[in-house]
Amino acid sequence: MDYRHIITIEPGKRSGKPCIRGMRITVYDVLDYLASDMSVEEILRDFPDLTHEDIRACLAFAADRERRLMSISSA
């Protein structure tokens, strides 16, 4: 998934953390909710501005970041 049109990074917003579509909801917020056992449906109900695609973009962003970190550490 190409998350670049969904995940935005703006230095003045949320201290430059990656956010969803310029909103103040960060990738880390969504990942924390998922890790705390919230379902995707619960997250979407609590944050009606989010979409299923936003959640998938957060997961793709995290996976891509992890891949990049692993390639750096194994170099």
Side-chain angles (χ1 to χ4, degrees):
M1 164 180 228
D2 184 7
Y3 56 80
R4 291 175 292 175
H5 67 285
I6 296 173
I7 305 301
T8 59
I9 298 174
E10 299 174 43
K13 188 174 286 177
R14 297 294 307 262
S15 301
K17 293 177 183 170
C19 293
I20 302 164
R21 293 183 287 114
M23 296 185 285
R24 298 189 60 78
I25 302 169
T26 68
V27 169
Y28 308 120
D29 292 335
V30 172
L31 295 176
D32 282 342
Y33 300 141
L34 291 168
S36 69
D37 210 25
M38 279 182 81
S39 70
V40 171
E41 294 308 319
E42 289 172 317
I43 295 169
L44 295 176
R45 188 173 46 247
D46 287 353
F47 299 93
D49 290 333
L50 294 181
T51 67
H52 281 92
E53 186 179 25
D54 295 334
I55 305 292
R56 286 191 304 274
C58 290
L59 294 170
F61 177 88
D64 189 44
R65 188 172 207 148
E66 180 65 18
R67 273 190 297 277
R68 283 186 276 128
L69 288 174
M70 291 305 294
S71 69
I72 291 170
S73 68
S74 64

